[in-house]
Amino acid sequence: MSYKLVDLLSEIAFNKIFHIKGTLIIDPNKRNQKDILSDIRALPGITIVRNIEMEQDPTSRYFRSTLEVKVDPYPYAKQNKFDSDSTMQTIMNNIKNVNGVIGFKQTADIYSTED
């Protein structure tokens, strides 16, 4: 049985968990934080979301927090659509598109660990 390079890369990707850290800005007047975080957890590839409250600007109507996300590349790799840079960008864009999210900005380098 011969493996294509793409299959081999996908198999290697299955053994890694990627970590994204950033600042999440939500509008609690649109939706509550619990529902927004639930929708983020439901995005393809996201396995764990840790939300850490930050000091808030009392003049802002928005709520800011640090979001730490763990990503399992399996849903992307099984479709041969996994490329660490573009897949992580897709996931960050998906977070930004969740209803109630005003913005999400990466604050640390993305890194991977063995699962």
Side-chain angles (χ1 to χ4, degrees):
M1 176 185 212
S2 65
Y3 280 99
K4 295 179 194 172
L5 180 58
V6 171
D7 293 335
L8 184 59
L9 291 174
S10 294
E11 189 174 307
I12 291 168
F14 287 149
N15 296 326
K16 296 200 178 287
I17 298 294
F18 291 83
H19 302 260
I20 302 172
K21 183 177 182 178
T23 299
L24 178 69
I25 303 168
I26 66 167
D27 184 346
N29 295 325
K30 281 188 172 183
R31 293 182 68 209
N32 72 47
Q33 182 183 21
K34 181 180 173 187
D35 290 344
I36 293 170
L37 291 174
S38 180
D39 284 355
I40 292 171
R41 285 184 185 95
L43 293 171
I46 293 182
T47 60
I48 295 175
V49 174
R50 182 173 175 230
N51 190 57
I52 305 162
E53 288 190 26
M54 300 170 66
E55 188 173 323
Q56 301 300 309
D57 176 353
T59 63
S60 175
R61 72 177 199 176
Y62 301 129
F63 181 83
R64 290 171 174 73
S65 62
T66 298
L67 195 66
E68 295 177 353
V69 179
K70 289 187 181 180
V71 177
D72 181 350
Y74 178 77
Y76 300 94
K78 77 174 184 173
Q79 298 173 3
N80 289 329
K81 293 182 179 178
F82 180 77
D83 169 271
S84 62
D85 293 333
S86 65
T87 301
M88 295 306 117
Q89 190 60 51
T90 297
I91 289 168
M92 288 187 283
N93 288 337
N94 290 342
I95 291 171
K96 291 175 187 175
N97 289 325
V98 168
N99 187 21
V101 172
I102 301 303
F104 178 73
K105 183 176 179 176
Q106 179 184 342
T107 58
D109 289 340
I110 295 171
Y111 65 96
S112 65
T113 56
E114 298 295 320
D115 61 351

